[in-house]
Amino acid sequence: MEAEVENKNMNTEKLKEIVAFRAVDELVTSGMKLGIGTGSTALLAAARIGERYENGELKDLLVVPASFETRMECQKYGLNIHSLNDRVIDGELDLTIDGADEVDTRKNLIKGGGGGLLLEKIVGYVSRDYCIIVDQGKLVPHLCSNRGIPVEVIPEAMRSVSKHLEGLGGGVTLRMARMKAGPVITEKGNIILDTLFPAEILKDPVAMERELNSIPGVVENGLFTREVNFLYVAYRDGSVKKNPVL
Ligand code: 5RP
């Protein structure tokens, strides 16, 4: 049984690598202003970009990482790291590559499983093109199939926002840290309320994304409904499809 579980995990890791490499090899070109998201799949994309930069295949890349962890991965390869406010970036990117926690049949996403939704959303939404890389396990018939929507909240507003989310029909869980006492604190000093909505309440993810952000104390939420220009999916048989019909 343990061996089976290990095998399954190894397989998923391999799928993440295949899909990350394929997207980078097809989409990233020299001279791009590039956003890189967060999570294990996005880190593999960062590594692939780094390798191709180091061996001279990619030149003059300007990279904006969406988290501390991704920044560290980019630093390993000596990539040119920038903030969105730097003059050479000026708040605009050519392409962002990121992973996701759930992808529905209309390519709406839940993100923020790693807690990085705020910067991931800013980087993703200011990009001309948006590329999402996932393994088949992330495809769901509707959002909130396997997990709630992470809602990043100013700590002082925990109770008021929780009540508001419950009033909308959500089941709210404060995300707790694993190797630290107390809640997860995001890179911007906020807490995360994972909020599970039944399918009948989450019929219109675009409206819900806006509604969640209108609650006082909410900084950002993990529903991502901007257009996904490129969706790469790695399937269990090892094949990768670009923009598959879902
Ligand atoms: C982090 C994210 C990640 O993109 C999402 O959690 C997917 O992670 P992984 O590639 O490790 O499965 O949104 O906040």
Side-chain angles (χ1 to χ4, degrees):
M1 181 64 183
E2 256 175 39
E4 243 176 60
V5 171
E6 195 184 22
N7 222 346
K8 195 173 168 215
N9 287 340
M10 277 173 55
N11 205 27
T12 304
E13 288 319 302
K14 189 66 195 164
L15 295 182
K16 289 180 179 188
E17 185 182 284
I18 295 170
V19 77
F21 282 29
R22 170 84 174 268
V24 168
D25 292 354
E26 288 189 2
L27 300 182
V28 179
T29 54
S30 293
M32 273 187 164
K33 296 199 267 179
L34 196 62
I36 311 179
T38 306
S40 53
T41 321
L43 275 187
L44 290 163
R48 181 64 168 178
I49 292 162
E51 278 168 18
R52 297 192 64 209
Y53 177 78
E54 265 188 339
N55 72 23
E57 282 176 62
L58 292 172
K59 296 185 197 325
D60 305 320
L61 285 182
L62 305 176
V63 170
V64 178
S67 70
F68 186 77
E69 190 185 25
T70 305
R71 170 179 288 265
M72 288 198 306
E73 191 66 14
C74 294
Q75 283 168 335
K76 274 196 212 162
Y77 297 92
L79 287 162
N80 293 317
I81 298 170
H82 287 276
S83 101
L84 276 178
N85 296 327
D86 288 351
R87 197 166 68 173
V88 283
I89 302 288
D90 201 24
E92 290 177 8
L93 296 167
D94 297 310
L95 171 70
T96 287
I97 301 181
D98 204 348
D101 298 304
E102 288 192 349
V103 181
D104 77 5
T105 52
R106 290 171 289 177
K107 294 195 274 184
N108 296 309
L109 316 172
I110 289 181
K111 289 185 46 56
L117 63 124
L118 175 56
L119 283 175
E120 285 172 2
K121 189 171 281 191
I122 297 169
V123 166
Y125 277 43
V126 303
S127 278
R128 184 192 64 228
D129 288 329
Y130 193 42
C131 170
I132 291 297
I133 47 178
V134 290
D135 60 270
Q136 185 179 6
K138 304 293 184 59
L139 303 180
V140 293
H142 56 81
L143 297 178
C144 281
S145 287
N146 301 320
R147 59 187 310 135
I149 300 166
V151 182
E152 182 161 345
V153 173
I154 299 278
E156 288 78 359
M158 180 182 72
R159 284 304 303 141
S160 57
V161 173
S162 292
K163 286 197 222 169
H164 198 130
L165 293 170
E166 282 161 6
L168 293 175
V172 179
T173 309
L174 173 65
R175 192 181 294 184
M176 300 305 285
R178 294 245 167 84
M179 301 289 282
K180 160 199 168 286
V184 165
I185 302 295
T186 68
E187 290 190 19
K188 298 298 173 194
N190 300 312
I191 55 167
I192 292 180
L193 300 175
D194 287 302
T195 308
L196 195 64
F197 287 104
E200 63 274 16
I201 293 181
L202 195 48
K203 275 196 202 120
D204 183 349
V206 177
M208 183 61 93
E209 181 180 4
R210 260 190 251 123
E211 173 146 20
L212 293 178
N213 279 0
S214 74
I215 303 169
V218 169
V219 180
E220 191 48 84
N221 72 83
L223 269 178
F224 284 55
T225 63
R226 75 146 281 176
E227 181 189 5
V228 175
N229 309 88
F230 306 105
L231 172 68
Y232 284 81
V233 182
Y235 292 86
R236 287 183 196 104
D237 63 4
S239 63
V240 174
K241 287 191 186 150
K242 179 180 178 187
N243 290 335
V245 178
L246 299 175

